[in-house]
Amino acid sequence: MNYLTVFPGQGAQKVGMGEEFKASSLFQEHLAETDHLLNYALSHLIARGPEEVLRETRQAQLALFVVETGIYRCWRAAGAPSPAAVAGHSLGEYSALYAAGVLSLETALSLVQKRATWMQQDCEAKPGSMAAVIRPQREQIQALCAETAEVVWANDNSESQGVLSGETQALQSTLQRIQREKWGKVIPLQVSGAFHSPLMYAASQKMATHLAGVFFQAAQFPIIMNSTAEALTDPEAIKSALIEQILSPVRWRESLLHAKVLSIQGVIEMGPSTLKRLVQQTLPELPVHVIQTPQELKEGLAFVQD
């Protein structure tokens, strides 16, 4: 079966995620290896919290990457065939790069750690926020964002959901206008900053400089990148798209639509689920399986091997 594997991004984290895989020696080895590479016990924070610490950008991004890639390793070790393509939502793109063999575990973990640290620094230096808009009037909202450089259309998540990001006061003013004009239902997000907005400029520059010296392997299968919504395998093209990622909108809806070109017949989501509903809103004809437990892994295997 041609299937797409997807990896969620920041916001999906929760204390105890991956706990059901603790009986797996491979998953335990993965946690021990990443703890060793980080030189601290991230696995303890994932298992026990506290939640307010796990929610911090510098911890949440690392924790999600570790759990997602650990479950993916169990998935492939259990005999799952290679996916037709992979994609990750924002932070999840680094899990996708690891899954496709573009980056080693050590390199990917190091990049995530730097990304999380630099983004946390930007969050503290320039406070901002984000809000989802349900059933958005896209043209009107995008025209409204064009009136100010302080608020951007950050995530095009599905046919039914978008996310705005920007400086806190400017964002509140924009949201009030959306509510007044009835251009969509506004839901503030519990995030630590204005991701995928100009407030992340310093982090994006640091990442661009650092990535210039990182070696990327050719992808073993296509990666549908956030910033291009195109399936890429060439290492330099992938690197260029990743450099753009911190500032660029997450073109998730377009990425899913692009997956149809690859004749995708189903979707597997790795780790704590935030993407299943978004896939169903954009590609309602495709079945979606979430892998958070060993039992779900068995069910997912039966699905892709059918």
Side-chain angles (χ1 to χ4, degrees), residues 75-194:
W75 168 254
R76 294 304 304 275
S82 297
V86 292
H89 191 284
S90 192
L91 174 276
E93 194 157 76
Y94 287 80
S95 298
L97 290 168
Y98 167 77
V102 174
L103 298 172
S104 68
L105 180 65
E106 182 175 5
T107 300
L109 188 68
S110 174
L111 289 178
V112 171
Q113 187 173 35
K114 288 177 170 60
R115 180 185 192 268
T117 298
W118 292 332
M119 290 176 71
Q120 180 76 39
Q121 290 171 352
D122 277 3
C123 291
E124 294 168 357
K126 299 179 180 180
S129 191
M130 304 176 77
V133 184
I134 309 301
R135 296 181 296 277
Q137 299 293 316
R138 292 174 184 275
E139 291 185 7
Q140 291 90 331
I141 293 174
Q142 288 172 345
L144 181 61
C145 289
E147 296 176 6
T148 173
E150 297 179 300
V151 178
V152 296
W153 186 256
N155 297 353
D156 185 6
N157 280 336
S158 75
E159 298 293 341
S160 305
Q161 186 197 110
V163 173
L164 298 179
S165 179
E167 189 276 328
T168 303
Q169 290 187 347
L171 179 62
Q172 289 302 316
S173 177
T174 299
L175 297 177
Q176 290 170 4
R177 175 77 182 278
I178 291 170
Q179 291 175 310
R180 188 166 61 249
E181 301 289 348
K182 299 182 179 179
W183 288 341
K185 179 181 178 182
V186 170
I187 301 178
L189 300 181
Q190 298 300 314
V191 294
S192 57

Side-chain angles (χ1 to χ4, degrees), residues 18-35 43 65-80 98 105 270 294 297 301:
E19 186 70 24
E20 292 85 354
F21 281 92
K22 288 295 181 68
S24 164
S25 60
L26 178 58
F27 192 80
Q28 289 280 27
E29 290 169 10
H30 180 78
L31 292 181
E33 183 178 2
T34 51
D35 280 355
S43 60
F65 173 81
V66 166
V67 171
E68 291 170 5
T69 53
I71 294 175
Y72 181 79
R73 290 178 72 175
C74 293
W75 168 254
R76 294 304 304 275
Y98 167 77
L105 180 65
M270 291 288 162
L297 188 150
L301 280 175

